[in-house]
Amino acid sequence: MTEGRVNPSQRLENQGFNGLGHVWYNLIEPDLVSAALRRDEGTLGIGGTLLVETGTHTGRSPKDKFVVRTAAEEDKIWWENNQPMDAAAFDQLHADMLEHMQEREYFVQDLYAGADPDYRLDVRLVTELAWHGLFIRHLLRRPSREELDVFVPEFTIVNCPTFYADPERHGCRSETVIAMNYEKKLILIGGSAYAGENKKSVFTLLNYLLPEQGVMPMHCSANHAMDDPDDVAIFFGLSGTGKTTLSADPGRILIGDDEHGWSDKGTFNFEGGCYAKTISLSPEAEPEIYATTTMFATVIENMIFDPETKELDFEDGRLTENMRCAYPMDYIANASETGLGGHPKNVIMLTCDAFGVLPPIARLTPAQAMYHFLSGFTSKVAGTERGVTEPEPTFSTCFGSPFMARRPEVYGKLLQEKIAKHGANCWLVNTGWTGGAYGVGSRMPISATRALLTAALDGSLSEVEFRKDANFGFEVPVAVPGVAEVLLDPRRTWTDPAAYDAQAKKLLAMFAENFAQYLPYIDEDVKSAALG
């Protein structure tokens, strides 16, 4: 196993990381898989995949995430959403983590976020686990060998799962900590082996940095038409709403499955890979993603498998419902080679409605789009965060409040301006429940969702008859070829229409209560959409 390539002036000791054991720089996939197996971090699976478990943490820990409060960031950060940490506490955390790292083996990956070179962020990941290095090598973008010779990290992330914070000493909540210091350009992660903390820390960074450059950072997937990179669709949504599944359309080119920017030039992927949920994954419904689960170096996270045959059990969620696989973008046959596209023609907002009230698709005016973007209504899906064991209705502004460093209106205004400037069509798509709430109804058929999205993207949906929804005021198609007509009217899918009406009234009240916080900051047309 070779040490790997690194700019000599950027070795860890030159960043103040002294006294470490062996440090491996920029190992490629075979070496990282070998290192993980040597260190007994996982098991070799079918096709050379790496089967790993994350232990206690099988999802993100948003309540353990902190931002260091400094004068420079005081007026920029959305403090109601970002827990502050005292600068002195962070320094103590940093010192104690460095002491913990002494004489230990570490893996460094020098990578970048952002396919558009004008907005690229060079990031260094220092990981205690070899498989974390493999994971983030998949999820971010890889510099060329020549670029590594001159690579200088703008931000450094240090992840030590075996380091446990002291809440009293380090000003945090528990033994788990994710501490972001924008001034020192340093992020410290301790007490969690869940790999998603690495990628979402980078996303939070971009949500902080890019708005000042006029770029809208988006928690969305994106694709474009086979023969037209300017025919772009973006899919906003929280984990579990279908971003990865619905953007991996064999009839379109995948730009990316989770994080993108919208600049004055168009759309660009932040990442270089995908992190897909595998619960109930099937070769029939999601063949492209399913195929990656037997490809070399794919990281298979928290899945039960046969100890002899290594065959995966896609239905066994005993470790977590949030079982996942991480793989590079080029494992998807129709993935974009550049990660770039034009300005979005269609903006889709995905929601997983556990109330069973919303229709499978609705057409939104620009004002309604802003209302639903700021509302960010969905249901947290089991396993995505610690303590979530079944879907919970929630409002996550901008469809990603845990990653929003600035106030929601900053992102809302950026999106509003770009939709208006480029004339994007806006749609709300419910991938949640129909025929009743969670526990009574059933999940929206993915075949119906795909058919409706195809019609929206090829323009044929705009030609059908629409009705005005009595509750939300948006437009809903009356009939669409290939989709059961009853699905388009959620009230008809309930055996008790009066129970539907009561549920809809309850949901509307939740929307109104949540949106009251934004009324002082929004335009009159968006207020009208909010107030009906």
Side-chain angles (χ1 to χ4, degrees):
M1 186 164 61
T2 59
E3 184 175 89
R5 204 174 185 99
V6 64
N7 178 351
S9 68
Q10 294 300 315
R11 297 181 70 88
L12 281 183
E13 54 263 33
N14 295 326
Q15 289 184 266
F17 292 89
N18 298 305
L20 304 189
H22 197 96
V23 178
W24 302 93
Y25 292 93
N26 296 309
L27 297 183
I28 63 173
E29 291 75 8
D31 286 338
L32 287 167
V33 171
S34 296
L37 295 175
R38 169 178 60 82
R39 292 162 50 89
D40 199 27
E41 294 177 3
T43 302
L44 193 66
I46 296 171
T49 59
L50 186 64
L51 312 175
V52 299
E53 294 183 14
T54 62
T56 303
H57 294 264
T58 57
R60 291 179 294 101
S61 299
K63 294 180 180 178
D64 293 307
K65 187 175 181 179
F66 295 83
V67 175
V68 175
R69 196 164 200 157
T70 65
E73 278 75 44
E74 181 64 38
D75 296 330
K76 298 179 180 179
I77 302 299
W78 180 22
W79 291 113
E80 293 86 349
N81 187 61
N82 292 270
Q83 300 177 93
M85 175 179 279
D86 184 75
F90 179 88
D91 290 343
Q92 187 65 62
L93 175 68
H94 187 199
D96 290 349
M97 187 174 284
L98 284 176
E99 182 177 351
H100 172 84
M101 294 170 70
Q102 298 299 292
E103 304 300 325
R104 294 173 183 260
E105 186 177 30
Y106 280 87
F107 300 84
V108 173
Q109 286 290 316
D110 292 325
L111 304 161
Y112 67 92
D116 187 331
D118 289 342
Y119 305 107
R120 162 177 161 171
L121 178 70
D122 291 347
V123 183
R124 165 166 283 185
L125 278 295
V126 183
T127 62
E128 189 175 38
L129 296 172
W131 79 262
H132 272 200
L134 179 63
F135 169 90
I136 204 64
R137 185 171 171 82
H138 289 334
L139 267 296
L140 292 185
R141 305 185 70 86
R142 305 166 191 168
S144 66
R145 290 178 65 84
E146 293 73 25
E147 288 173 322
L148 284 175
D149 288 337
V150 295
F151 188 96
V152 177
E154 297 172 66
F155 278 82
T156 298
I157 300 172
V158 182
N159 191 327
C160 296
T162 62
F163 174 84
Y164 297 101
D166 180 338
E168 185 173 340
R169 182 177 175 86
H170 301 131
C172 53
R173 187 187 73 99
S174 72
E175 293 182 333
T176 300
V177 65
I178 303 98
M180 310 189 69
N181 192 322
Y182 294 122
E183 189 170 85
K184 293 193 172 182
K185 299 186 175 183
L186 181 64
I187 298 173
L188 305 177
I189 304 173
S192 172
Y194 180 64
E197 298 288 10
N198 296 302
K199 88 180 216 88
K200 289 306 184 186
S201 292
V202 176
F203 184 44
T204 305
L205 269 180
L206 293 170
N207 274 293
Y208 171 72
L209 296 170
L210 290 178
E212 289 188 348
Q213 301 177 59
V215 176
M216 173 63 189
M218 303 178 294
H219 190 212
C220 72
S221 57
N223 61 27
H224 67 70
M226 279 288 185
D227 56 354
D228 186 0
D230 289 326
D231 183 0
V232 171
I234 58 175
F235 302 78
F236 284 103
L238 289 182
S239 177
T241 56
K243 291 195 313 300
T244 300
T245 298
L246 295 172
S247 58
D249 183 338
R252 293 174 66 86
I253 299 294
L254 177 67
I255 301 174
D257 83 323
D258 195 41
E259 302 169 6
H260 293 80
W262 187 352
S263 73
D264 289 339
K265 296 189 292 182
T267 310
F268 64 97
N269 191 359
F270 290 163
E271 301 185 308
C274 300
Y275 190 32
K277 289 176 72 74
T278 55
I279 186 74
S280 299
L281 189 67
S282 75
E284 294 78 24
E286 299 162 285
E288 297 86 2
I289 300 172
Y290 186 89
T292 69
T293 62
T294 54
M295 292 184 178
F296 178 72
T298 291
V299 176
I300 308 291
E301 195 178 73
N302 293 321
M303 289 191 71
I304 300 297
F305 59 91
D306 186 297
E308 294 183 7
T309 67
K310 306 301 186 289
E311 290 185 3
L312 302 171
D313 189 333
F314 292 88
E315 303 302 326
D316 192 335
R318 78 179 77 166
L319 293 178
T320 177
E321 295 285 318
N322 194 37
M323 58 178 76
R324 290 179 179 262
C325 63
Y327 50 89
M329 192 69 65
D330 59 14
Y331 278 13
I332 300 296
N334 60 324
S336 168
E337 293 182 2
T338 66
L340 302 171
H343 297 287
K345 287 188 176 180
N346 287 279
V347 174
I348 295 110
M349 298 181 186
L350 301 170
T351 180
C352 174
D353 174 22
F355 283 76
V357 169
L358 295 174
I361 196 166
R363 183 167 61 188
L364 306 176
T365 66
Q368 289 169 339
M370 196 51 47
Y371 173 66
H372 285 279
F373 179 70
L374 289 175
S375 296
F377 169 69
T378 190
S379 302
K380 289 180 183 176
V381 178
T384 303
E385 293 182 5
R386 293 193 75 198
V388 179
T389 58
E390 62 182 46
E392 295 178 0
T394 188
F395 291 88
S396 185
T397 188
C398 309
F399 293 100
S401 64
F403 325 118
M404 300 296 119
R406 300 173 184 267
R407 280 203 58 85
E409 301 82 34
V410 173
Y411 308 105
K413 184 179 180 182
L414 270 172
L415 184 64
Q416 188 175 22
E417 290 172 350
K418 292 185 182 298
I419 287 174
K421 183 175 180 179
H422 301 288
N425 299 309
C426 300
W427 309 89
L428 182 70
V429 171
N430 174 25
T431 62
W433 275 259
T434 184
Y438 171 79
V440 176
S442 58
R443 199 74 189 258
M444 195 71 68
I446 191 171
S447 58
T449 303
R450 286 195 183 278
L452 291 166
L453 280 173
T454 297
L457 300 188
D458 67 21
S460 61
L461 189 59
S462 296
E463 306 302 319
V464 307
E465 180 186 356
F466 282 78
R467 64 174 177 84
K468 184 175 180 179
D469 183 82
N471 296 305
F472 286 90
F474 44 49
E475 292 184 317
V476 181
V478 175
V480 178
V483 178
E485 191 174 321
V486 66
L487 281 177
L488 297 169
D489 187 352
R491 190 173 188 268
R492 289 173 55 198
T493 66
W494 285 52
T495 56
D496 183 356
Y500 170 87
D501 292 338
Q503 190 81 316
K505 184 177 179 181
K506 179 180 179 182
L507 183 57
L508 279 168
M510 289 179 65
F511 263 88
E513 180 181 1
N514 171 74
F515 204 80
Q517 62 185 303
Y518 306 120
L519 292 177
Y521 307 101
I522 58 175
D523 298 338
E524 288 302 318
D525 57 343
V526 182
K527 266 184 195 175
S528 297
L531 301 174

